[in-house]
Amino acid sequence: MWDDAFPSFLIGLREGLEGGLIVSILIATLVRADARSRLPQVWTGVLAAIALAMSFGAVLTFTAASLSATAQEAFGGTLSVIAVAFVTAMVFWMRRSARSLSGEIKEKVTGALAMGSGVLILTSFLAVGREGLETALFLWTTAQAAGESSGPLAGAAIGLILSAALCWGLYRRVLKINLTKFFTATGVVLIVIAAGVLGYGLRDLQEGGVLPGKAAYAIDLSGSIDASSWYSTLVQGVFNLTPAMTWLQVLGYAGYLAVVMTLFVRGLRATAPKPGSGKAAPAPDTPRPARRRPAWVVPVVVVTVPALLAGLAVALGRPKPGAAQTVAVSEKDCGEGFTAPRPGRQTFQMHNTGDKTAEVYLVDPATNAVYGEIEGLAPGTTRSLVATVAGGTYAWRCVPSGGTPVTSQAVRVTGGGAAKAVVPVSEHDLSGPLAQYRRYVEEGLAALVPQTRTLADDIRHNHLGKARTDWLTAHRTYASLGAAYGTFEDFDRKIDGRADGLPDGVHDKDFTGFHRIEYGLWHGEPAASLTAPAQRLAADAAGLRTAFPHQDFDPSDLPLRAHEVLENTLQFELTSDTDEGSGTNLATADANLAGTRELLTVLRPLLTSRSPHLLPTVDADVARLQQLLDSAHHGSHWTPVKQLDPTDRARVDGATGQLLEDLSPVPALLEIRKSA
């Protein structure tokens, strides 16, 4: 968590120290002027500044949460750029002001003492408020970059607590800090961090469609750098540098760093400001008696007003609950009560008034593209459907269980940009890829049968060295048929079952197939004890080949297996859970990858038309993982997973995890829908 916490820790420490120094100087000046009775006015201003900063943070958080995904990217990117501007200005201001800060604040306090309590409250509020707003904005942007809030919040809290302790020490004169050197050193680090935030913000603006070039990569080290390694995570968390960066990110990062750092370093060479004249400040005029009011009134007001304004901003920025349309659904009528909604993120209350469970889709009637859906809406129930609406034509399509689809009257929405929709997939759309993949499996089974027979003959003739080689060949053939596992029924358990869960483990009579033979071949069992399991494996393989053409292969299994095969690889092969002694888990992972690649080949036309940018990313992931697996293959030998160098193992796990993440949209994109 420290990699995400460090930037916020630094900003909390620096901003907290700035604000704390100002408060310390205010208090010291009042104490020395024998005006302790005015201290509550200082704390009131400080309290107001804190309330304003927290309210500002709440507005940022809840306003962003109510936006669409694309709008969130654009919103976050814009605020990241603004945060960089604020931090840059703060760094240069404190570099100039560190030497003369105390004198300037004392002059302001002297004037405030003569003008009344309101001016003193305003002085402390303005002195601390800027730091609070900067902290809130920078903390929000770093939390967005990290993808979570616990690390940045913890870092900021530690920095603020430490800054408070330092300020107390300075006030009590038990600490001495060269503030000029401190703010110079932290300024250099913050400039580097701000450059990363700028790069992150520019990427968000590209993702949000505000800036072009989101696919124009200047650097792509994903194939050689493991994004999940500790050093990569540290660099990404602290500096917002990622293995893949666009040209705009690189130019923004390098340009900002070169220009700002140069100006900052040049400014350090400037001569120190001339000291003041040394004249004592005039004694403050005796304040005029003020009308007495309860001491709690002003603090309550300064905290309540920002909170109320923040709540109002959040409420106005979010869709009103009462604005949600209630749309009726039945087997005879669909979309009753549907009127043209406003552009933006909308909530529809879908109420099934019929007697049958229904699938409900918000569609473009011209293309059947789906903008939102509810599955299994039971009779008499109401469920919310949230969808982003933009310019275009919309209609409801209701598909009652066992009934005929019913489509509502279309409505036209104007303005509002564009909304992302998914073109539905039918069983007919998947019939071609399914037939193509069935042929691939049949060819694989045709090769598997003689391979298992050869393995059985090796064992029967006591050629155990050759049997180990032929075992791996046959097992890789079977592993490459991963997308059909669910179709193989009981044959998969017989052919590739594991000993986990069996009463006697590897010695259980029901432990059969490849892993049973693997255990025997690599644990010194004689050929006599392995002959029967090998012959049974050959018979099961032949039985599967005969049964497969008649087995029911659900078309919806294809998109699911695109993700599940490698999910099993990460869970079993890459943890050595299925290693019974051969140390060939990476060979099996390689075969699983080959099967996934074949599956993506047959699904490619459907995926390309629905998500053009998905497959190039996945192809790069596959190539990266293939390269890592190839590096563990030396002739006929595969490096066992447990013998991999920790860095290499982390790279394989990270590449597989990244591929899984990028494959995760496939099931949703190719889900069979009844909306057509």
Side-chain angles (χ1 to χ4, degrees):
M1 188 176 68
W2 177 244
D3 51 315
D4 292 332
F6 179 73
S8 296
F9 164 77
L10 188 61
I11 200 72
L13 175 63
R14 184 182 171 106
E15 295 279 15
L17 190 55
E18 286 185 31
L21 285 172
I22 294 172
V23 173
S24 298
I25 295 169
L26 285 169
I27 294 173
T29 305
L30 290 173
V31 170
R32 292 167 188 169
D34 198 20
R36 290 177 181 270
S37 61
R38 310 294 293 276
L39 290 179
Q41 297 165 14
V42 174
W43 292 118
T44 298
V46 171
L47 194 62
I50 294 173
L52 178 65
M54 295 181 68
S55 300
F56 180 56
V59 170
L60 292 179
T61 301
F62 291 108
T63 302
S66 66
L67 300 175
S68 65
T70 302
Q72 285 186 31
E73 299 284 1
F75 182 72
T78 301
L79 289 184
S80 294
V81 175
I82 294 173
V84 170
F86 275 134
V87 170
T88 305
M90 175 265 291
V91 167
F92 280 90
W93 177 82
M94 187 48 86
R95 187 204 66 193
R96 294 192 306 268
S97 305
R99 297 185 182 93
S100 58
L101 181 63
S102 178
E104 292 178 4
I105 295 299
K106 288 178 182 178
E107 291 178 6
K108 292 180 180 179
V109 175
T110 301
L113 282 170
M115 297 181 67
S117 61
V119 177
L120 187 56
I121 292 173
L122 183 63
T123 300
S124 59
F125 171 77
L126 294 177
V128 179
R130 187 187 69 172
E131 277 69 31
L133 291 176
E134 288 176 352
T135 301
L137 180 57
F138 196 85
L139 181 58
W140 187 86
T141 56
T142 52
Q144 290 294 109
E148 54 93 21
S149 58
S150 58
L153 284 174
I158 295 171
L160 290 170
I161 292 171
L162 181 57
S163 67
L166 291 174
C167 288
W168 180 87
L170 290 170
Y171 173 74
R172 303 295 296 180
R173 299 185 179 182
V174 297
L175 283 178
K176 289 185 178 180
I177 298 176
N178 187 320
L179 294 177
T180 301
K181 291 183 177 180
F182 174 82
F183 285 118
T184 297
T186 56
V188 170
V189 178
L190 274 178
I191 288 172
V192 176
I193 292 176
V197 173
L198 177 62
Y200 169 81
L202 292 175
R203 179 60 180 171
D204 267 0
L205 291 173
Q206 289 178 311
E207 293 288 347
V210 178
L211 295 176
K214 70 176 183 179
Y217 288 99
I219 299 172
D220 188 358
L221 304 177
S222 304
S224 55
I225 294 178
D226 177 19
S228 64
S229 64
W230 67 268
Y231 53 84
S232 180
T233 303
L234 182 64
V235 171
Q236 291 181 65
V238 175
F239 302 110
N240 277 302
L241 293 175
T242 57
M245 296 180 68
T246 64
W247 279 105
L248 183 60
Q249 283 181 280
V250 172
L251 292 175
Y253 181 92
Y256 173 89
L257 199 58
V259 173
V260 176
M261 191 66 79
T262 300
L263 294 175
F264 186 80
V265 172
R266 283 182 179 177
L268 296 177
R269 300 170 184 170
T271 57
K274 295 181 180 180
S277 61
K279 296 180 180 179
D285 295 335
T286 303
R288 292 171 294 178
R291 288 180 297 174
R292 298 186 63 82
R293 65 171 66 91
W296 54 267
V297 171
V298 175
V300 169
V301 170
V302 299
V303 172
T304 303
V305 170
L308 289 176
L309 292 176
L312 182 63
V314 172
L316 292 177
R318 284 187 157 190
K320 297 178 177 60
Q325 293 187 28
T326 299
V327 182
V329 175
S330 71
E331 57 268 26
K332 294 182 180 179
D333 191 14
C334 182
E336 183 179 351
F338 179 48
T339 58
R342 294 178 302 171
R345 195 169 179 83
Q346 300 292 336
T347 300
F348 302 94
Q349 299 295 331
M350 311 306 300
H351 178 60
N352 190 343
T353 59
D355 299 324
K356 296 181 179 180
T357 299
E359 314 289 321
V360 184
Y361 303 92
L362 180 63
V363 302
D364 179 344
T367 64
N368 290 324
V370 177
Y371 293 94
E373 62 185 297
I374 290 180
E375 297 181 354
L377 182 62
T381 61
T382 301
R383 287 164 58 188
S384 298
L385 186 151
V386 180
T388 299
V389 176
T393 304
Y394 296 85
W396 291 103
R397 186 156 295 159
C398 307
V399 187
S401 178
T404 304
V406 182
T407 305
S408 73
Q409 184 176 358
V411 300
R412 181 74 185 174
V413 177
T414 58
K420 189 175 183 180
V422 176
V423 179
V425 174
S426 65
E427 289 192 17
H428 176 73
D429 294 328
L430 283 171
S431 61
L434 180 62
Q436 188 177 347
Y437 195 80
R438 287 189 74 108
R439 288 193 295 271
Y440 166 77
V441 174
E442 288 171 355
E443 292 173 0
L445 292 175
L448 178 66
V449 171
Q451 289 172 354
T452 55
R453 287 174 180 166
T454 299
L455 173 61
D457 288 341
D458 292 340
I459 293 175
R460 184 164 57 88
H461 292 99
N462 201 26
H463 299 153
L464 299 186
K466 185 174 183 298
R468 294 186 183 94
T469 301
D470 291 337
W471 175 90
L472 181 58
T473 300
H475 190 240
R476 281 169 54 81
T477 298
Y478 184 80
S480 67
L481 310 179
Y485 289 168
T487 306
F488 290 166
E489 299 172 351
D490 288 342
F491 282 105
D492 183 53
R493 179 181 56 80
K494 297 174 183 178
I495 293 173
D496 207 36
R498 295 178 293 126
D500 296 357
L502 296 177
D504 296 324
V506 294
H507 303 294
D508 197 279
K509 60 183 179 59
D510 292 327
F511 183 34
T512 63
F514 280 110
H515 292 301
R516 167 66 185 91
I517 297 170
E518 177 189 10
Y519 179 83
L521 287 174
W522 274 272
H523 283 82
E525 284 191 30
S529 66
L530 291 174
T531 298
Q535 290 176 344
R536 181 176 177 181
L537 173 63
D540 288 337
L544 174 59
R545 183 187 180 189
T546 302
F548 179 71
H550 310 289
Q551 290 176 331
D552 183 23
F553 201 146
D554 189 344
S556 62
D557 279 354
L558 285 181
L560 288 174
R561 295 294 185 268
H563 184 268
E564 289 180 351
V565 172
L566 288 177
E567 194 173 57
N568 289 338
T569 301
L570 190 63
Q571 180 180 359
F572 298 117
E573 270 67 49
L574 297 186
T575 60
S576 294
D577 187 68
T578 54
D579 186 3
E580 295 294 352
S582 67
T584 59
N585 278 130
L586 292 181
T588 305
D590 181 71
N592 289 338
L593 184 62
T596 301
R597 189 186 291 110
E598 178 64 27
L599 184 58
L600 291 173
T601 298
V602 303
L603 295 175
R604 185 170 292 271
L606 295 176
L607 290 172
T608 300
S609 62
R610 285 161 176 80
S611 183
H613 304 296
L614 174 65
L615 283 175
T617 301
V618 168
D619 290 341
D621 292 340
V622 169
R624 186 181 309 122
L625 180 55
Q626 186 66 67
Q627 182 181 6
L628 292 170
L629 293 174
D630 288 345
S631 65
H633 186 200
H634 311 284
S636 60
H637 174 72
W638 288 82
T639 303
V641 170
K642 292 182 178 179
Q643 294 181 17
L644 283 174
D645 177 90
T647 301
D648 292 337
R649 185 169 182 175
R651 286 177 176 172
V652 173
D653 289 343
T656 307
Q658 184 63 53
L659 176 54
L660 275 171
E661 182 178 340
D662 292 332
L663 283 172
S664 60
V666 173
L669 286 171
L670 301 186
E671 178 184 355
I672 295 177
R673 293 176 170 89
K674 302 175 184 178
S675 59

Coordinates of all heavy atoms in Angstrom, one line a residue, residues 434 437-438 441-442 445 478 481-493 543-544 547-558 561 564:
L434 N -19.1 -22.4 -33.5 CA -19.3 -23.7 -32.8 C -18.9 -24.9 -33.7 O -18.2 -25.8 -33.3 CB -20.7 -23.9 -32.3 CG -21.0 -25.1 -31.5 CD1 -20.1 -25.2 -30.3 CD2 -22.5 -25.2 -31.2
Y437 N -15.2 -25.0 -34.2 CA -14.4 -25.5 -33.0 C -14.7 -26.9 -32.8 O -13.7 -27.7 -32.4 CB -14.8 -24.7 -31.8 CG -13.9 -24.9 -30.6 CD1 -12.7 -24.2 -30.6 CD2 -14.1 -25.8 -29.6 CE1 -11.7 -24.4 -29.6 CE2 -13.2 -26.0 -28.6 CZ -12.0 -25.4 -28.6 OH -11.1 -25.6 -27.6
R438 N -15.8 -27.4 -33.1 CA -16.1 -28.9 -33.0 C -15.1 -29.7 -33.9 O -14.6 -30.7 -33.5 CB -17.5 -29.2 -33.4 CG -18.6 -28.8 -32.3 CD -19.9 -29.4 -32.7 NE -20.0 -30.8 -32.4 CZ -20.6 -31.3 -31.3 NH1 -21.3 -30.6 -30.5 NH2 -20.6 -32.6 -31.1
V441 N -11.8 -29.9 -32.2 CA -11.8 -30.8 -31.1 C -11.8 -32.3 -31.7 O -11.0 -33.1 -31.2 CB -13.0 -30.6 -30.2 CG1 -13.1 -31.8 -29.2 CG2 -13.0 -29.3 -29.5
E442 N -12.5 -32.5 -32.8 CA -12.5 -33.9 -33.4 C -11.2 -34.2 -33.9 O -10.7 -35.4 -33.8 CB -13.6 -33.9 -34.5 CG -15.0 -33.9 -33.9 CD -16.1 -33.8 -35.0 OE1 -15.7 -33.6 -36.2 OE2 -17.3 -33.8 -34.7
L445 N -9.0 -35.1 -30.9 CA -9.3 -36.4 -30.3 C -8.8 -37.5 -31.2 O -8.4 -38.6 -30.8 CB -10.8 -36.5 -30.1 CG -11.4 -35.7 -29.0 CD1 -13.0 -35.8 -29.0 CD2 -10.9 -36.0 -27.7
Y478 N -4.5 -33.3 -25.1 CA -5.8 -33.2 -24.4 C -6.0 -31.8 -23.8 O -7.1 -31.3 -23.9 CB -5.8 -34.3 -23.3 CG -7.2 -34.3 -22.6 CD1 -8.3 -35.0 -23.2 CD2 -7.4 -33.7 -21.4 CE1 -9.5 -35.0 -22.6 CE2 -8.6 -33.7 -20.8 CZ -9.7 -34.3 -21.3 OH -10.9 -34.3 -20.7
L481 N -7.6 -28.9 -25.8 CA -9.0 -29.0 -26.1 C -9.9 -28.3 -25.0 O -11.1 -28.7 -24.8 CB -9.5 -30.4 -26.3 CG -8.6 -31.2 -27.3 CD1 -9.1 -32.7 -27.4 CD2 -8.5 -30.6 -28.7
G482 N -9.4 -27.4 -24.3 CA -10.0 -26.8 -23.1 C -11.4 -26.4 -23.2 O -12.2 -26.5 -22.3
A483 N -11.8 -25.7 -24.3 CA -13.1 -25.2 -24.5 C -14.2 -26.2 -24.5 O -15.4 -25.9 -24.4 CB -13.2 -24.3 -25.7
A484 N -13.8 -27.5 -24.6 CA -14.8 -28.6 -24.7 C -14.9 -29.3 -23.4 O -15.7 -30.3 -23.4 CB -14.5 -29.5 -25.9
Y485 N -14.2 -28.9 -22.4 CA -14.2 -29.7 -21.2 C -15.6 -30.0 -20.6 O -16.0 -31.0 -20.2 CB -13.4 -29.0 -20.1 CG -11.9 -29.0 -20.3 CD1 -11.1 -28.3 -19.5 CD2 -11.3 -29.8 -21.3 CE1 -9.7 -28.2 -19.7 CE2 -9.9 -29.8 -21.5 CZ -9.1 -29.0 -20.7 OH -7.8 -29.0 -20.9
G486 N -16.4 -28.9 -20.7 CA -17.8 -29.0 -20.1 C -18.6 -30.0 -20.9 O -19.7 -30.5 -20.4
T487 N -18.3 -30.2 -22.2 CA -19.0 -31.1 -23.0 C -18.6 -32.6 -22.9 O -19.4 -33.5 -23.2 CB -18.8 -30.7 -24.5 OG1 -19.1 -29.3 -24.6 CG2 -19.7 -31.5 -25.4
F488 N -17.4 -32.8 -22.4 CA -16.9 -34.2 -22.3 C -17.6 -35.0 -21.2 O -17.4 -36.2 -21.1 CB -15.4 -34.2 -22.0 CG -14.6 -33.7 -23.2 CD1 -13.3 -33.3 -23.0 CD2 -15.1 -33.5 -24.4 CE1 -12.5 -32.9 -24.0 CE2 -14.4 -33.1 -25.5 CZ -13.1 -32.7 -25.3
E489 N -18.4 -34.4 -20.4 CA -19.2 -35.1 -19.3 C -18.2 -35.8 -18.4 O -17.2 -35.3 -18.0 CB -20.2 -36.0 -20.0 CG -21.2 -35.2 -20.8 CD -22.2 -36.0 -21.6 OE1 -22.0 -37.3 -21.7 OE2 -23.1 -35.5 -22.2
D490 N -18.5 -37.1 -18.1 CA -17.7 -37.9 -17.2 C -16.4 -38.3 -17.7 O -15.5 -38.7 -17.0 CB -18.5 -39.2 -16.8 CG -19.7 -38.9 -15.9 OD1 -19.7 -37.8 -15.3 OD2 -20.6 -39.8 -15.8
F491 N -16.2 -38.2 -19.0 CA -14.9 -38.6 -19.6 C -13.8 -37.7 -19.1 O -12.6 -38.1 -19.0 CB -15.0 -38.5 -21.2 CG -15.7 -39.7 -21.8 CD1 -17.0 -39.5 -22.3 CD2 -15.1 -40.9 -21.9 CE1 -17.6 -40.6 -22.9 CE2 -15.7 -42.0 -22.4 CZ -17.0 -41.8 -22.9
D492 N -14.0 -36.4 -18.9 CA -13.0 -35.5 -18.4 C -12.5 -35.9 -17.0 O -11.3 -35.9 -16.8 CB -13.5 -34.1 -18.3 CG -12.4 -33.1 -17.9 OD1 -11.3 -33.1 -18.6 OD2 -12.6 -32.4 -17.0
R493 N -13.4 -36.3 -16.1 CA -12.9 -36.8 -14.8 C -12.1 -38.1 -14.9 O -11.1 -38.3 -14.2 CB -14.2 -37.1 -13.9 CG -13.8 -37.6 -12.6 CD -15.1 -37.8 -11.7 NE -16.0 -38.7 -12.4 CZ -15.9 -40.0 -12.4 NH1 -14.9 -40.6 -11.8 NH2 -16.7 -40.8 -13.1
G543 N -13.3 -43.9 -26.2 CA -14.7 -43.8 -25.9 C -15.1 -42.3 -26.1 O -16.2 -42.0 -26.6
L544 N -14.3 -41.4 -25.6 CA -14.6 -40.0 -25.8 C -14.7 -39.6 -27.3 O -15.6 -38.9 -27.7 CB -13.6 -39.1 -25.1 CG -13.7 -37.6 -25.3 CD1 -15.1 -37.1 -24.8 CD2 -12.6 -36.8 -24.6
A547 N -18.0 -40.8 -28.5 CA -19.2 -40.1 -28.0 C -19.3 -38.6 -28.3 O -20.4 -38.1 -28.4 CB -19.1 -40.2 -26.4
F548 N -18.2 -38.0 -28.6 CA -18.2 -36.5 -28.8 C -19.1 -36.0 -29.9 O -19.8 -35.0 -29.6 CB -16.8 -36.0 -29.0 CG -16.7 -34.5 -29.2 CD1 -16.9 -33.6 -28.1 CD2 -16.5 -34.0 -30.5 CE1 -16.9 -32.3 -28.3 CE2 -16.5 -32.6 -30.7 CZ -16.7 -31.7 -29.6
P549 N -19.2 -36.6 -31.0 CA -20.1 -36.1 -32.1 C -21.5 -36.1 -31.6 O -22.3 -35.4 -32.2 CB -19.8 -37.1 -33.2 CG -18.5 -37.6 -33.0 CD -18.4 -37.7 -31.5
H550 N -21.9 -36.9 -30.7 CA -23.3 -37.0 -30.2 C -23.5 -36.2 -28.9 O -24.7 -36.2 -28.4 CB -23.7 -38.4 -30.0 CG -23.3 -39.3 -31.2 ND1 -24.0 -39.3 -32.4 CD2 -22.3 -40.2 -31.3 CE1 -23.4 -40.1 -33.3 NE2 -22.4 -40.7 -32.6
Q551 N -22.5 -35.6 -28.4 CA -22.7 -34.8 -27.1 C -23.2 -33.4 -27.4 O -22.9 -32.8 -28.5 CB -21.3 -34.7 -26.4 CG -20.9 -36.1 -25.8 CD -19.5 -36.0 -25.1 OE1 -18.7 -35.2 -25.5 NE2 -19.3 -36.8 -24.1
D552 N -24.0 -32.9 -26.5 CA -24.6 -31.6 -26.6 C -23.5 -30.5 -26.3 O -23.1 -30.4 -25.1 CB -25.8 -31.5 -25.7 CG -26.5 -30.1 -25.9 OD1 -26.3 -29.5 -27.0 OD2 -27.2 -29.7 -25.0
F553 N -23.1 -29.7 -27.2 CA -22.2 -28.6 -27.0 C -22.9 -27.3 -27.0 O -23.3 -26.8 -28.1 CB -21.1 -28.7 -28.2 CG -19.8 -28.0 -27.8 CD1 -18.6 -28.4 -28.3 CD2 -19.8 -26.8 -27.0 CE1 -17.4 -27.8 -28.0 CE2 -18.6 -26.2 -26.7 CZ -17.4 -26.7 -27.2
D554 N -23.1 -26.8 -25.9 CA -23.9 -25.5 -25.7 C -23.1 -24.4 -26.4 O -22.0 -24.1 -26.0 CB -24.1 -25.2 -24.2 CG -25.1 -24.1 -24.0 OD1 -25.3 -23.3 -25.0 OD2 -25.6 -23.9 -22.9
P555 N -23.7 -23.6 -27.3 CA -23.0 -22.5 -28.0 C -22.5 -21.5 -27.0 O -21.5 -20.9 -27.2 CB -24.0 -22.0 -28.9 CG -25.0 -23.0 -29.2 CD -25.1 -23.8 -27.9
S556 N -23.3 -21.3 -25.9 CA -22.9 -20.2 -24.9 C -21.6 -20.6 -24.2 O -21.0 -19.8 -23.5 CB -24.0 -20.0 -23.9 OG -24.3 -21.2 -23.2
D557 N -21.2 -21.9 -24.3 CA -19.9 -22.3 -23.7 C -18.7 -21.7 -24.3 O -17.7 -21.5 -23.6 CB -19.8 -23.9 -23.7 CG -20.6 -24.5 -22.6 OD1 -21.2 -23.8 -21.8 OD2 -20.7 -25.8 -22.6
L558 N -18.8 -21.4 -25.6 CA -17.6 -20.9 -26.3 C -17.1 -19.6 -25.7 O -16.0 -19.4 -25.3 CB -17.9 -20.7 -27.8 CG -18.0 -22.0 -28.6 CD1 -18.3 -21.6 -30.1 CD2 -16.7 -22.7 -28.5
R561 N -15.7 -20.1 -22.1 CA -14.4 -20.9 -22.1 C -13.2 -19.9 -22.4 O -12.1 -20.2 -22.1 CB -14.4 -22.1 -23.0 CG -15.4 -23.2 -22.6 CD -15.0 -23.8 -21.2 NE -15.9 -24.9 -20.9 CZ -17.0 -24.8 -20.2 NH1 -17.3 -23.6 -19.7 NH2 -17.7 -25.8 -19.9
E564 N -12.5 -19.0 -19.0 CA -12.4 -20.0 -17.9 C -11.2 -20.9 -18.1 O -10.6 -21.4 -17.1 CB -13.6 -20.8 -17.9 CG -14.8 -20.1 -17.4 CD -16.1 -20.9 -17.3 OE1 -16.1 -22.0 -17.9 OE2 -17.1 -20.5 -16.7

